Amino acid sequence: SLFRLKDLEVPKLGDSDVHVKMLAAPINPADINMIQGTYAILSPLPAVGGNEGVGEVLEVGSRVSALKPGDWVIPADSGLGTWRTRGVFPEEMLLKVPGDIPVLCAATLSVNPCTALRMLTDFETLAPGDSVIQNAANSGVGQAVIQIARASGVKTINVVRDRPDLPQLVERLMALGADHVVTEEMLRKPEMKDIFKSTPKPRLALNCVGGKSTTEMLRHLQPKGTMVTYGGMAKQPVMVPVSAFIFRDVRLRGFWMTQWRKDHAQDQESVAGMMDTLCRLIQRGQLTAPACTEVPLQDYRAALEASMKPFVSSKQILLL
């Protein structure tokens, strides 16, 4: 196994450091990929896994002004190594979040909801009544897209893989505010016309699957619409019919949250604005944590195994 639970000394607190007691940290697919070495970031080994989570500040160095003991913090960037009970981090690696939001919302805030918000705002200017189509709609990003879109009056057409518990999944996504939930097979069916009687054709498509799913989704995109690819779960290329380019002038773009953070490292206003928007949605009850299974740290092996099973609709969260 690549993983071991180890006891380490907590390093000395430097002037610009913050001593954090971790509260909760999720296991995301990218965390596993990073450890397997199949991700675009490689950590020097031995490394602590985990890119996301929430902690409470225990003490701060003499030069730290923005944080104080008792504050809640989340990683400002990937690679922090959140699967630990305590850590000492430079102040600039942490972002303060309100302490009155649910712990699971804070623990799952820095990756999926940020990705969802950026993709909904950075590629097309969507107005209330517009629509967006997405595949893997039951993923963490998918669930956040549904809720953020709903809060701004944008309709969602949500594509999921067919599965044994499909009715329960449809019900769960509708409860989050999905307007339509369809299977990949339905994308090819004439019934799709019924959806477009009440909902306009989407100007934006969000793809994290690739392969046939993407090509089918693209057929429903409006002329001059944009498809943003942020993942490739099918491990197949994105295939686009030539006609979609020539006759509909569709745009194909890519998005990676880690790159956005790099590009905006000096732009604290954008980052603060994004976190503020998301935290307000959470405080208003318009954005919830994805379905979670809470696992104590010592059961990490079971949690890692569970996170790699197909059709998992619940995110494993390590309680630290």
Side-chain angles (χ1 to χ4, degrees), residues 70-279:
D71 283 348
W72 275 19
V73 288
I74 64 173
D77 210 343
S78 46
L80 190 67
T82 53
W83 301 344
R84 62 172 101 211
T85 53
R86 296 196 171 193
V88 169
F89 309 108
E91 178 183 19
E92 69 271 11
M93 290 176 75
L94 303 167
L95 291 173
K96 183 176 165 176
V97 292
D100 64 349
I101 62 175
V103 70
L104 295 181
C105 287
T108 53
L109 183 59
S110 63
V111 181
N112 294 335
C114 291
T115 301
L117 182 65
R118 294 267 57 97
M119 293 195 303
L120 285 169
T121 44
D122 293 357
F123 297 92
E124 288 281 343
T125 310
L126 299 172
D130 281 344
S131 85
V132 50
I133 189 169
Q134 63 167 346
N135 54 24
N138 57 313
S139 67
V141 171
Q143 293 175 57
V145 164
I146 291 170
Q147 296 174 84
I148 296 166
R150 181 62 179 269
S152 49
V154 170
K155 299 186 170 210
T156 56
I157 301 162
N158 300 281
V159 186
V160 296
R161 286 183 296 177
D162 200 4
R163 64 192 62 214
D165 62 343
L166 186 65
Q168 291 95 306
L169 177 60
V170 171
E171 201 178 307
R172 245 186 50 217
L173 296 183
M174 297 301 271
L176 287 180
D179 295 281
H180 307 278
V181 182
V182 298
T183 62
E184 297 193 342
E185 292 70 35
M186 270 182 67
L187 283 176
R188 279 189 283 283
K189 303 257 166 77
E191 293 92 280
M192 285 299 289
K193 288 202 178 67
D194 297 339
I195 286 181
F196 297 123
K197 283 177 191 153
S198 62
T199 302
K201 287 230 164 183
R203 298 232 316 265
L204 180 65
L206 305 177
N207 164 49
C208 78
V209 179
K212 208 157 57 182
S213 166
T214 312
T215 313
E216 294 301 338
M217 197 164 63
L218 201 65
R219 288 171 39 178
H220 302 293
L221 201 57
Q222 268 190 38
K224 293 202 186 321
T226 305
M227 184 172 77
V228 182
T229 293
Y230 68 100
M233 284 163 31
K235 297 193 167 40
Q236 286 162 350
V238 169
M239 306 287 273
V240 182
V242 170
S243 60
F245 279 128
I246 300 176
F247 302 122
R248 292 194 294 126
D249 190 17
V250 298
R251 265 162 258 244
L252 264 59
R253 301 285 307 272
F255 182 76
W256 188 31
M257 194 63 219
T258 302
Q259 187 62 47
W260 188 92
R261 289 195 192 281
K262 274 201 192 84
D263 296 345
H264 294 81
Q266 302 311 312
D267 178 6
Q268 280 316 302
E269 253 168 72
S270 292
V271 177
M274 171 173 72
M275 299 322 283
D276 200 43
T277 300
L278 292 170
C279 288

